[in-house]
Amino acid sequence: MITTRHKSSYSNLLFLSLLILPFMQQNLQNLSYPINKEQKHTAIFFFFIVTSIIGYHVLSQSHPGSFFNIGFLPKILPSNIPIIKSGKNTKCDYSNGKWVYDETQPRIRYSENCPFLDPGFRCQQNGRKDLDYQKWRWQPKDCNLPRFEAKDFLERTRNRRIVFAGDSIGRNQWESLICMLSEGVSNRSAIFEENGNPITKHKGFLSIKFQEYNLTVQYYRVPYLVIIDRPPPNAPKQVYGVIRVDRLHWYSAKWVGSDVLVFSAGHWWNQDKTVKLGYYFQEGETVNMTMDVMEAFRRSMNTLKIWVMQNLEPGKTHVFFRSYSPIHYRDGEWNKGGYCNTSRKPESDYSKLEPEPRNNIIINEVVKEMNKKAMKMVKFINITYLTEFRKDGHPSRNREPGTPVDAPQDCSHWCLPGVPDTWNELIYTELSRTGFKKSPAM
């Protein structure tokens, strides 16, 4: 977006060029040696080229998100979203940058042989031939994203509990973190699911124990975070079920006392997965047949905010609200022929990036409200912009064994190793920055 300031800067530069041009023409005519018309035009042409280069450099430095920079599209998240600090006296917006091809990836992380990966995320084993999607590293614009150190993270979380709560994209991230942490453990057999359950998307609760560090990393499947219930008596016939925006899921009782709590929600908050399926929104004893989906999402986030403030110790639990993870269906929705299997590199055409999701604005407002009320350990983790580029990182048609040939492509979840690893690097960086200590938890 070209702001008034951009226009003013450009106008001043253009005015200066036009002001200098007559003097330049006169000086060319007064040279001691003859100059023909063609040479004169060539000199003027190069003058404009040099002026343009200087102008581009000046404006792109002073307005990095402007039309004059390669990334002219405004950042997906608004400027009032808090940024992550990289040191005591400096700030770095880790969400703003670009993807850089790096041959060392993913050797520094893990492989598909990690036993804690869902079959649907093992894209190589499911038939994907190229490996390039694993070799892109996120490079912030004005700083470097610290490398994930599994042993350091494990020491910091010794005797602690990390909880992921939300939709299946949250499970995607949960599995990524488990595999990233497993690289720092000397005895892999000492990592196990506490209830003997296989890692699968069909389970509502999974708990991985890192016995060597007495660390527990849990996942709770709660796509809406709030309760899904039967319709109340006398509800209209088209109401198949209700989403109770004022009542958090009963799993929430198990989140109390956790040391790190990561929320992910948004993918189920749309018309297709709510009202079109007959699920309407209930508040109190009343079913609201006309409530907008995003308004319902806002109210559910407010319910979550109240729960956090009433149930979590401000100085103990680090709470992260992860922003919306973009999907990349092209030429159709997920159930109408949409696909993403033709992409082999991150998006380079900024005009194809989607606008700011309303989900993010709502979540950010909730986080800011909590920060104002002394909940300083509640953070908004912006992964939307960096993830929007990665149309190449989905399972697409490389689905888990047993999936019908004509099944829709998966352009929502992510191959692992892959993009969610970077999300976890952001969380690791924030925990390290805020002094998440290595001292034993009480």
Side-chain angles (χ1 to χ4, degrees):
M1 180 177 181
I2 304 177
T3 64
T4 303
R5 185 180 176 188
H6 292 119
K7 292 177 178 177
S8 176
S9 300
Y10 183 76
S11 298
N12 291 338
L13 184 65
L14 182 61
F15 175 77
L16 182 61
S17 300
L18 295 175
L19 188 65
I20 295 173
L21 181 59
F23 293 97
M24 181 180 175
Q25 291 175 319
Q26 183 177 359
N27 288 334
L28 288 171
Q29 293 172 352
N30 295 333
L31 288 173
S32 58
Y33 55 89
I35 179 171
N36 59 37
K37 186 175 181 180
E38 182 177 328
Q39 290 174 323
K40 178 180 176 181
H41 288 169
T42 300
I44 294 174
F45 172 79
F46 278 106
F47 166 77
F48 274 111
I49 291 295
V50 172
T51 303
S52 300
I53 292 173
I54 295 173
Y56 174 88
H57 177 74
V58 171
L59 292 174
S60 64
Q61 293 298 316
S62 60
H63 313 291
S66 74
F67 176 82
F68 299 95
N69 202 353
I70 298 300
F72 69 89
L73 190 73
K75 287 176 60 180
I76 285 184
L77 292 177
S79 59
N80 60 349
I81 286 181
I83 63 175
I84 302 174
K85 299 177 182 178
S86 59
K88 292 183 178 180
N89 301 314
T90 60
K91 292 184 178 181
C92 177
D93 184 358
Y94 289 107
S95 67
N96 184 22
K98 62 181 180 180
W99 289 96
V100 177
Y101 191 80
D102 186 347
E103 283 285 356
T104 66
Q105 307 281 27
R107 292 197 302 273
I108 60 173
R109 296 177 183 167
Y110 58 93
S111 72
E112 284 190 5
N113 293 325
C114 174
F116 306 105
L117 290 184
D118 186 282
F121 304 151
R122 302 172 189 257
C123 297
Q124 292 290 310
Q125 295 181 20
N126 294 336
R128 182 160 181 170
K129 303 301 181 183
D130 70 295
L131 277 171
D132 284 355
Y133 71 94
Q134 296 184 2
K135 298 181 179 180
W136 293 92
R137 172 177 54 82
W138 181 248
Q139 177 60 57
K141 181 178 182 294
D142 298 316
C143 57
N144 292 317
L145 182 63
R147 177 165 292 188
F148 186 90
E149 298 290 347
K151 287 186 178 294
D152 178 65
F153 199 127
L154 287 164
E155 285 295 345
R156 290 179 184 275
T157 52
R158 183 185 289 274
N159 303 318
R160 300 181 187 271
R161 183 164 67 105
I162 301 173
V163 171
F164 286 80
D167 52 32
S168 57
I169 307 299
R171 179 174 56 85
N172 219 171
Q173 184 179 3
W174 171 76
E175 293 183 21
S176 162
L177 181 62
I178 292 170
C179 290
M180 292 171 78
L181 291 175
S182 68
E183 292 297 294
V185 176
S186 56
N187 181 11
R188 303 287 175 85
S189 64
I191 308 173
F192 54 89
E193 207 289 323
E194 291 189 290
N195 301 303
N197 293 320
I199 305 300
T200 169
K201 59 187 176 184
H202 304 295
K203 294 291 182 179
F205 167 68
L206 292 164
S207 181
I208 299 295
K209 188 76 170 183
F210 289 77
Q211 192 171 43
E212 184 179 342
Y213 292 86
N214 192 32
L215 165 67
T216 305
V217 186
Q218 299 176 328
Y219 165 70
Y220 292 84
R221 185 181 183 275
V222 278
Y224 298 99
L225 295 176
V226 291
I227 289 178
I228 310 300
D229 208 349
R230 295 178 179 178
N234 302 320
K237 292 182 178 181
Q238 66 264 40
V239 180
Y240 181 79
V242 292
I243 300 170
R244 308 196 64 168
V245 297
D246 58 347
R247 292 183 60 182
L248 206 60
H249 196 282
W250 63 270
Y251 270 153
S252 59
K254 299 180 179 293
W255 307 337
V256 177
S258 58
D259 298 282
V260 179
L261 181 52
V262 184
F263 291 114
S264 62
H267 282 268
W268 287 64
W269 289 92
N270 55 60
Q271 291 283 333
D272 288 338
K273 293 186 177 181
T274 56
V275 295
K276 288 185 179 181
L277 291 179
Y279 284 87
Y280 290 82
F281 308 109
Q282 180 174 340
E283 201 166 28
E285 299 303 317
T286 305
V287 179
N288 190 324
M289 302 296 292
T290 60
M291 184 181 293
D292 175 73
V293 175
M294 282 296 100
E295 174 58 23
F297 180 68
R298 186 188 67 79
R299 297 190 187 195
S300 72
M301 287 295 101
N302 188 63
T303 299
L304 181 57
K305 177 193 73 174
I306 294 171
W307 179 88
V308 168
M309 297 181 66
Q310 292 179 346
N311 292 276
L312 301 183
E313 295 181 40
K316 174 178 171 59
T317 305
H318 290 255
V319 181
F320 294 98
F321 285 79
R322 199 205 68 223
S323 69
Y324 182 76
S325 170
I327 60 177
H328 293 94
Y329 289 100
R330 299 296 184 241
D331 297 331
E333 300 295 328
W334 70 274
N335 58 347
K336 295 181 180 179
Y339 61 89
C340 56
N341 62 301
T342 59
S343 301
R344 291 292 179 266
K345 294 181 179 180
E347 182 61 72
S348 58
D349 184 350
Y350 282 66
S351 68
K352 292 183 179 180
L353 300 183
E354 296 293 332
E356 166 70 16
R358 285 182 63 190
N359 311 59
N360 286 358
I361 298 173
I362 293 170
I363 296 171
N364 183 50
E365 289 173 352
V366 167
V367 170
K368 288 198 298 183
E369 289 173 10
M370 284 189 278
N371 290 160
K372 290 178 181 178
K373 297 182 180 180
M375 300 293 291
K376 300 300 182 184
M377 293 170 69
V378 179
K379 301 294 181 182
F380 182 94
I381 293 295
N382 164 16
I383 60 91
T384 305
Y385 182 72
L386 68 89
T387 307
E388 179 67 35
F389 290 95
R390 295 307 307 276
K391 60 180 182 177
D392 60 312
H394 298 287
S396 61
R397 63 184 178 187
N398 304 115
R399 306 285 298 271
E400 62 189 281
T403 302
V405 177
D406 59 348
Q409 292 195 17
D410 185 353
C411 304
S412 300
H413 299 95
W414 301 94
C415 299
L416 293 177
V419 175
D421 302 338
T422 300
W423 307 347
N424 288 323
E425 287 175 343
L426 292 175
I427 289 179
Y428 169 65
T429 298
E430 176 64 11
L431 288 174
S432 302
R433 182 195 71 79
T434 54
F436 193 72
K437 302 297 183 182
K438 299 180 182 179
S439 58
M442 297 299 293

